[in-house]
Amino acid sequence: MSPFEEHPETQWVGEEAGPIVRPYVLTRGRTEPTRGRFDLITLAVTVRSASPRESGLDPECLAIVRFCRQPQSVAEIAAHMNLPAGTIRVLLSDLLDQGFIALQEPHSETDMHDESLYRAVLDGLRAL
Amino acid sequence: MDSAHSSRDAGQVKLPRAIKILVAGGFGAGKTTLVGTVSEIEPLRTEETLTNRGVGVDDLSGVETKQTTTVAMDFGRITIGDDYRLYLFGTPGQERFWFLWDELALGALGAVVLADTRRLADCFPSLDYFERRETPFIVAVNCFDGARRYDLDEVRLGLTLHPDIPIVLCDARERESGKEVLITLVEHAMKMRLGTAPAAGNTAPAT
Ligand SMILES: Nc1nc2c(ncn2[C@@H]2O[C@H](COP(=O)(O)OP(=O)(O)OP(=O)(O)O)[C@@H](O)[C@H]2O)c(=O)[nH]1
Ligand SMILES: [Mg+2]
């Protein structure tokens, strides 16, 4: 089940060029997001839905907006879209700029001193 | 305590807090298996480009060398109520790239180092890395069929493990065993970071 109904991914992959072309084209050659910190576990959630006609978004971006109706991590989005995490970061930063998604930026290491976090995780694991 | 106070509002949507745990170890040590047994989803795979920004400078040219490698990682997820989501990453066995792990290890709750008793030395680079980085970690000794049964103290000696580092036996294919491994890690991380053991409180007494 491809997330791109209207835009099969084969279109992007040139026989000669190999699959590297697609992420590169998608991000127009950019490798770094313009803003935001994007860890693999940074969560993204859609805050404004996008319709294919009005939004002017790439099919990939539309697919991300659809997928993130439920909060998803960068890693999950990358796996779902079958694209490298680096490509997803760039697309997410565009979607953030355009107001389609919101992010939960990762907490810093110093935030790992919250006792309630450990207790909640331990209780959760014991209940598995 | 006051879970009402939450700054993680994305407009009207409240996002859970995502927590990262790394599962490291040598080639074939059972990383993917462990991630899969405890995960609520089929393990997914993601590709990440890791960069070591301007650490070494090339001696001859004086040009800053930027080392980059692409690694494939398996990961799984455990949802803990509405507030937390645990992500487990099976980190690649390419130990010579350990110096690129910083981007992965940043902000991690801790790490599980899987030791395969048939190839104990394979986990040395992971141990060195987490020790140096002061990332809380535990060692889980994966009991492969046909491997000589080791005594945990023996393994601890073999790994020259600090006495404070927990070491447990596990079978990465068993969910209960995987759970125990994670609980041991979280308890250890809590102790390291907060200096408190998870007090008896409402939990069952230890046996
Ligand atoms: N007997 C036994 N076999 C195990 C255990 N854990 C993993 N295996 C088996 O060992 C093999 C390797 O396990 P993986 O989980 O793929 O190991 P890995 O560390 O992800 O391997 P790489 O990603 O290739 O480095 C698989 O065939 C597993 O079924 C265990 O606890 N006991
Ligand atoms: Mg694996």
Side-chain angles (χ1 to χ4, degrees):
Chain A
M1 40 160 248
S2 158
F4 323 110
E5 292 93 17
E6 56 278 273
H7 219 298
E9 60 184 303
T10 45
Q11 199 166 325
W12 291 90
V13 186
E15 250 171 352
E16 295 293 279
I20 195 70
V21 166
R22 187 165 159 257
Y24 189 81
V25 168
L26 271 175
T27 60
R28 295 175 211 94
R30 295 163 299 158
T31 55
E32 298 285 338
T34 50
R35 69 184 177 109
R37 275 177 61 214
F38 294 89
D39 193 274
L40 280 173
I41 59 165
T42 298
L43 297 181
V45 69
T46 297
V47 290
R48 175 154 71 95
S49 59
S51 77
R53 232 155 293 150
E54 323 152 23
S55 65
L57 292 176
D58 290 337
E60 284 73 13
C61 286
L62 278 172
I64 292 175
V65 169
R66 230 173 295 142
F67 185 55
C68 293
R69 282 179 198 145
Q70 295 296 319
Q72 305 286 352
S73 63
V74 168
E76 283 165 305
I77 300 167
H80 177 75
M81 305 285 294
N82 198 18
L83 286 167
T87 306
I88 297 300
R89 289 186 173 93
V90 174
L91 298 179
L92 283 177
S93 94
D94 288 349
L95 289 169
L96 183 67
D97 284 338
Q98 296 164 61
F100 287 108
I101 59 154
L103 290 180
Q104 185 233 5
E105 307 222 351
H107 293 242
S108 72
E109 212 139 330
T110 46
D111 285 339
M112 296 305 292
H113 289 78
D114 171 7
E115 187 169 338
S116 56
L117 177 150
Y118 293 94
R119 299 215 178 275
V121 171
L122 283 172
D123 287 347
L125 287 174
R126 290 191 180 109
L128 274 187
Chain B
M1 252 150 255
D2 62 321
S3 53
H5 130 273
S6 166
S7 54
R8 294 190 298 280
D9 280 6
Q12 58 281 76
V13 197
K14 183 174 169 265
L15 288 173
R17 172 160 179 187
I19 299 167
K20 179 161 58 179
I21 287 177
L22 306 181
V23 179
F27 185 76
K31 303 179 290 289
T32 303
T33 306
L34 180 64
V35 168
T37 24
V38 290
S39 173
E40 68 198 17
I41 53 170
E42 278 293 307
L44 296 168
R45 177 156 275 240
T46 187
E47 224 171 68
E48 176 80 307
T49 304
L50 302 176
T51 309
N52 188 24
R53 278 165 225 277
V55 172
V57 172
D58 191 305
D59 284 342
L60 293 175
S61 61
V63 172
E64 230 186 34
T65 52
K66 196 167 123 176
Q67 286 158 297
T68 296
T69 188
T70 299
V71 296
M73 275 172 295
D74 297 310
F75 69 97
R77 185 183 75 198
I78 300 171
T79 300
I80 300 194
D82 294 332
D83 292 337
Y84 299 98
R85 259 201 222 175
L86 222 56
Y87 287 99
L88 297 137
F89 288 90
T91 57
Q94 297 142 290
E95 311 295 8
R96 60 206 180 88
F97 294 125
W98 59 265
F99 54 85
L100 295 173
W101 286 2
D102 280 353
E103 285 175 57
L104 298 178
L106 188 71
L109 181 145
V112 173
V113 175
L114 275 176
D116 174 348
T117 50
R118 299 166 303 178
R119 289 166 295 193
L120 259 195
D122 283 7
C123 68
F124 289 173
S126 316
L127 298 179
D128 289 345
Y129 177 75
F130 294 123
E131 260 166 24
R132 203 166 326 140
R133 210 181 169 283
E134 295 181 18
T135 299
F137 71 94
I138 67 158
V139 174
V141 181
N142 212 356
C143 314
F144 283 90
D145 307 321
R148 182 163 87 79
R149 299 301 291 210
Y150 278 78
D151 178 65
L152 279 183
D153 290 333
E154 214 179 329
V155 180
R156 182 184 285 283
L157 266 178
L159 297 176
T160 58
L161 215 55
H162 190 277
D164 289 347
I165 309 286
I167 178 168
V168 293
L169 287 172
C170 85
D171 185 327
R173 301 163 302 176
E174 298 279 337
R175 191 177 164 83
E176 277 307 308
S177 180
K179 259 176 65 174
E180 275 314 309
V181 168
L182 292 182
I183 289 169
T184 306
L185 170 66
V186 177
E187 286 178 345
H188 177 62
M190 182 177 179
K191 202 165 139 197
M192 264 190 75
R193 293 227 176 77
L194 304 172
T196 47
N202 45 9
T203 47
T207 46

